[in-house]
Amino acid sequence: MKPTLTLFAALLLAPIAGLAAAQTSKPNILLILADDMGFSDLGCYGGEIATPNLDRLAAGGLRFTSFYNSAKCEPTRASLMSGQYWQDCGLGVKRGLTMGQAMKSAGYDTFALGKWHLDGNPFQRGFDHYFGHLGGGSDYFKGSPSHRLDDKPFKPANDGKFYTTDANADYAIKFIGEAHAQNPDKPFFTYLAFNAPHASLQAWPEDIAKYRGKYRIGWDKLREQRYQRQIELGITKKEWVLSPRPDTIPAWDSLTDAEKDFEDARMAVFAAQVDRMDQAIGRVLAKIQELGEEENTLVLFLSDNGASPYDHGKISDRQIEPLLDGSSHLGYGLGWANASATPFRHYKRNMFNGGSITACIAAWPAVVKQRGSITDQRAHIIDLMATIVDVGGGPWPAEFGGEKIAPLPGKSLRPILLGEQQVPHETLYFQLFDHRAVIAGDMKLVSDWGRPWELFNLAADRTELHDLTKTQPDQVARLEKLWNTWSEQTNTRVHSAGGEPIYRHQMDEHEKFRGGGTDTSDDEMKKPGRRTKAKKADAQTPSPMPVAQVKPIRARIDTTLVIEKQQLIITSTGDNPGLTFDASDIKTAGPYTLTFRLQSSASGDGEIYWTTDVKTALPKGERQTFKVTHDGQWHDIVLNVTESKVLHALRLDPCAGKGIVRLDSLRLKDSTGKTLKQWP
């Protein structure tokens, strides 16, 4: 073992001052992560789903109402497991320590269960034992090809008894029990990451039966009921008005009876998945109690992001029978995702609170004395590493295994657990695709789907309904500057990964949203603006066309280009954004007019360059600057190219900095208004 590692272990083993007197040894830590569960799904957060074990955990502990995540599976897991913003550690945790490495160095037995969705195998990244699937999703009854037991492939027995949620709990109980039998004085750190309730909708028939028919009331009434319970519980305030159902979702009463029955069935399966997860958690907690470790075990429960509205699947799958027999591959869709997000707006992938706030429960009987309390103190997924290192040992190392380790940006939650007021984060930053946000104090600046910034006061308007951008432009400028500075420091990639989802009726052939790939894949995050693998064309939403297939257009350095629905979508990642267009087949002399529509979330003025000389390479030649409004709205641009000779090549730089620009209806016209060239 290297000296730096030994020193780190010694530091982590040092006692911590200030914990409750009842704690006489280092605590066990059980960190439980749900997948794609909405803010209001648990009973203790206003839901009607039976979650008695998590409700009891909340009654004996603490609930957070302002706990933020990274809005999608893999980014959240990277931030959680590393303690860093995922933009810093890299997707998969390519830099720094994992929780397994940190806690193993602190003298803990370390176990990982369930969905990993990061680089490598937990067994090689600091965990003594692992059971689960390495990828982003799994069939609940058949398992996944990526299932592993430690570092060996695991194939479930074909006996009808395997269910991923149950198996995760079984192996957690096994690992904890065996370690305790070998050394009862050694603490354990267990990371239990359920696949539930992530799609596909697959549950045990007896669990589904508990809920079948209960959701015929529909999502409109369900949201109202959950909202009222949240007010009664203190999870939300009546001053924070329930966000209205968006126009992208039909009113429940407008559905046909067949659609209502189908929707009731799939919400029943979703509820059954949450129910079974709660049962599994109850069995793990019972084992810890049996071992006499309940008092000194810190249990943290949360979800990786908000509810998922993505609902891929063929028409043949959009029937009730596959939902009930465990063969469905659907998600529960936009209408129910909106209900799960109560009282918030938007969903998984988004930076509005519906996507980025999670239900979070913390229980530690030896320390948390304000049982059943609710805290509005703000916390973030990056705080979890800081917390477990704090309660488990000591300082964060500057070096580990010969690698320099970045300081932790998170804050330990220990003061909040002790009933104290924590010094809050000065700022919190968010970004995923073209969804962005920054929080400073009570002010939040946020944009989803590349739209213009919106500004909200979270203290007065937690459901983000009253945009203050027009009345507080100074705040907008201040927060935008903060976000831009952070973005530049982290080399953030901003790019579009599809439009806002629209409700898919039962017999609709295709999902009504643009782009996004499958909901378990993060390929589009790693190669922004391009899909890594071609898929069968969608008749309603064609796949983006890589620029290599459009010979007259070349993307410049620091620029990624895709073509979607006849729009040129440009992602600028550096200081030289732009497109060069081949005009060598034009025979008409100038002057010319270049017209197009532009939508931008980037920055800076635009420029066009042109040449009439085949030997001249742009940007040499002529140039012209034009103003661009980068507000996310569509603007019509008309540029007069005062050239009397025949054009050979043209370059268009629609921005000067990082961001996304969409170009539509790009045409080069002669002096009579005739279109000589249009792209694509």
Side-chain angles (χ1 to χ4, degrees):
M1 185 176 292
K2 296 188 177 184
T4 54
L5 183 56
T6 306
L7 176 60
F8 177 35
L11 290 171
L12 285 174
L13 288 166
I16 304 171
L19 291 180
Q23 186 205 353
T24 58
S25 61
K26 293 167 63 171
N28 306 301
I29 301 169
L30 172 61
L31 174 56
I32 308 171
L33 190 68
D35 196 344
D36 287 6
M37 191 191 76
F39 182 76
S40 70
D41 285 326
L42 299 181
C44 55
Y45 276 82
E48 72 296 324
I49 301 172
T51 54
N53 295 295
L54 286 168
D55 294 349
R56 278 195 293 271
L57 199 70
L62 177 71
R63 278 166 289 173
F64 289 80
T65 61
S66 190
F67 195 107
Y68 283 87
N69 55 58
S70 296
K72 197 175 189 292
C73 304
E74 189 177 10
T76 285
R77 282 164 173 73
S79 289
L80 177 151
M81 191 53 58
S82 69
Q84 306 286 340
Y85 284 108
W86 68 267
Q87 292 87 350
D88 290 322
C89 70
L91 288 173
V93 187
K94 293 177 172 57
R95 295 174 290 279
L97 283 77
T98 68
M99 284 182 167
Q101 290 167 321
M103 300 314 289
K104 188 172 185 177
S105 298
Y108 278 70
D109 286 323
T110 55
F111 314 123
L113 294 304
K115 175 174 171 176
W116 180 238
H117 209 181
L118 298 170
D119 287 356
N121 182 313
F123 192 63
Q124 281 90 32
R125 305 205 68 181
F127 289 94
D128 298 321
H129 291 292
Y130 171 62
F131 171 81
H133 58 280
L134 300 174
S138 173
D139 187 288
Y140 284 83
F141 290 106
K142 299 177 182 178
S144 163
S146 71
H147 255 99
R148 298 290 185 272
L149 178 56
D150 292 337
D151 58 347
K152 302 294 190 298
F154 174 89
K155 185 174 179 59
N158 188 22
D159 57 5
K161 296 180 181 179
F162 180 84
Y163 188 72
T164 299
T165 302
D166 297 337
N168 290 338
D170 292 342
Y171 277 94
I173 292 167
K174 172 182 170 63
F175 294 159
I176 292 170
E178 290 177 350
H180 188 271
Q182 293 175 7
N183 189 346
D185 295 326
K186 190 174 183 180
F188 64 79
F189 168 67
T190 300
Y191 172 55
L192 177 55
F194 288 101
N195 194 61
H198 192 291
S200 300
L201 290 171
Q202 298 171 348
W204 289 116
E206 61 267 30
D207 292 332
I208 299 172
K210 299 178 188 178
Y211 300 97
R212 189 74 168 100
K214 290 187 176 181
Y215 292 103
R216 289 282 301 195
I217 62 171
W219 43 65
D220 293 323
K221 189 168 291 185
L222 183 68
R223 291 188 81 231
E224 293 172 1
Q225 291 178 352
R226 288 189 175 190
Y227 177 62
Q228 290 303 319
R229 282 195 293 269
Q230 287 176 331
I231 293 174
E232 294 168 5
L233 291 169
I235 295 297
T236 192
K237 301 176 182 179
K238 61 182 179 181
E239 293 82 9
W240 300 334
V241 179
L242 176 64
S243 60
R245 171 174 41 80
D247 294 338
T248 51
I249 302 172
W252 178 261
D253 291 341
S254 71
L255 302 184
T256 66
D257 285 343
E259 286 177 326
K260 289 178 180 178
D261 200 32
F262 169 71
E263 291 293 0
D264 168 77
R266 62 175 179 171
M267 184 60 192
V269 180
F270 177 87
Q273 290 176 309
V274 175
D275 186 316
R276 178 60 63 158
M277 178 181 66
D278 182 82
Q279 295 177 50
I281 291 169
R283 292 195 293 119
V284 176
L285 295 177
K287 180 63 177 180
I288 293 172
Q289 184 180 41
E290 174 193 319
L291 297 175
E293 297 291 341
E294 181 181 23
E295 279 292 305
N296 199 32
T297 297
L298 168 62
V299 182
L300 295 161
F301 171 89
L302 69 158
S303 180
D304 61 351
N305 44 249
S308 175
Y310 300 101
D311 180 24
H312 299 274
K314 300 176 182 178
I315 283 183
S316 59
D317 201 25
R318 301 182 64 75
Q319 308 295 328
I320 290 177
E321 184 177 352
L323 291 166
L324 302 183
D325 68 15
S327 64
S328 173
H329 297 288
L330 295 176
Y332 70 160
L334 189 59
W336 296 122
N338 187 49
S340 287
T342 304
F344 302 128
R345 297 170 59 188
H346 297 184
Y347 325 95
K348 174 181 181 175
R349 299 182 179 223
N350 301 150
M351 299 310 161
F352 277 71
N353 284 342
S356 60
I357 277 188
T358 180
C360 179
I361 303 169
W364 187 2
V367 171
V368 178
K369 298 305 180 184
Q370 294 177 307
R371 308 286 173 85
S373 59
I374 295 172
T375 179
D376 203 33
Q377 293 190 60
R378 192 173 298 128
H380 190 278
I381 199 82
I382 58 174
D383 297 332
L384 294 179
M385 177 72 96
T387 301
I388 67 169
V389 168
D390 182 8
V391 303
W396 184 247
E399 186 177 344
F400 182 88
E403 177 188 356
K404 290 185 178 180
I405 302 299
L408 286 174
K411 292 177 176 288
S412 173
L413 302 177
R414 181 162 58 93
I416 301 177
L417 301 180
L418 292 169
E420 301 170 357
Q421 189 69 32
Q422 184 192 59
V423 178
H425 289 276
E426 290 185 9
T427 51
L428 288 172
Y429 299 97
F430 306 84
Q431 181 271 327
L432 180 65
F433 308 128
D434 53 355
H435 312 295
R436 304 165 291 158
V438 56
I439 299 175
D442 290 329
M443 305 307 295
K444 178 179 177 182
L445 191 67
V446 58
S447 165
D448 280 341
W449 296 294
R451 293 172 177 164
W453 289 112
E454 295 183 57
L455 178 69
F456 301 101
N457 185 323
L458 295 177
D461 181 24
R462 185 68 60 81
T463 50
E464 300 169 313
L465 299 180
H466 305 289
D467 181 13
L468 304 174
T469 52
K470 292 183 179 179
T471 58
Q472 299 189 35
D474 291 346
Q475 286 279 21
V476 174
R478 179 178 72 89
L479 293 175
E480 184 175 23
K481 183 177 180 181
L482 287 173
W483 191 90
N484 287 337
T485 299
W486 171 80
S487 174
E488 291 169 1
Q489 292 172 345
T490 57
N491 194 27
T492 300
R493 294 177 173 181
V494 178
H495 68 282
S496 174
E500 182 173 6
I502 301 174
Y503 177 73
R504 180 186 187 189
H505 287 272
Q506 184 180 5
M507 300 310 292
D508 282 345
E509 179 70 37
H510 298 288
E511 183 71 86
K512 294 180 180 177
F513 72 98
R514 300 183 300 278
T518 64
D519 198 35
T520 58
S521 173
D522 288 289
D523 286 344
E524 72 268 34
M525 298 177 61
K526 298 168 184 174
K527 293 190 177 181
R530 296 186 65 173
R531 294 184 180 178
T532 59
K533 186 176 181 180
K535 296 181 179 288
K536 185 177 179 180
D538 183 322
Q540 292 186 17
T541 55
S543 299
M545 184 187 304
V547 66
Q549 296 181 16
V550 187
K551 294 180 180 178
I553 310 175
R554 297 189 303 278
R556 290 189 46 73
I557 188 172
D558 297 333
T559 307
T560 301
L561 169 67
V562 296
I563 298 175
E564 181 180 316
K565 288 191 173 183
Q566 300 303 301
Q567 290 181 1
L568 304 177
I569 305 173
I570 304 162
T571 302
S572 167
T573 60
D575 298 325
N576 289 295
L579 303 175
T580 300
F581 301 88
D582 182 4
S584 59
D585 57 347
I586 292 177
K587 307 301 181 184
T588 304
Y592 306 99
T593 302
L594 186 67
T595 65
F596 52 94
R597 298 177 67 238
L598 178 149
Q599 180 194 62
S600 176
S601 61
S603 61
D605 291 338
E607 290 183 303
I608 56 171
Y609 304 81
W610 70 91
T611 181
T612 61
D613 182 4
V614 68
K615 296 181 180 180
T616 300
L618 298 177
K620 295 179 180 179
E622 305 297 325
R623 60 176 289 184
Q624 179 180 327
T625 301
F626 62 96
K627 292 291 184 182
V628 179
T629 303
H630 303 280
D631 61 358
Q633 303 297 314
W634 284 102
H635 297 276
D636 292 318
I637 307 293
V638 178
L639 301 176
N640 294 316
V641 182
T642 56
E643 175 58 62
S644 60
K645 296 181 180 180
V646 177
L647 197 65
H648 173 72
L650 176 73
R651 170 178 157 182
L652 172 62
D653 294 7
C655 61
K658 298 177 182 179
I660 299 171
V661 180
R662 290 175 178 262
L663 300 175
D664 193 10
S665 304
L666 180 62
R667 292 176 172 84
L668 183 71
K669 301 177 181 180
D670 66 12
S671 58
T672 68
K674 178 183 176 181
T675 298
L676 302 173
K677 196 86 172 178
Q678 65 182 50
W679 296 278

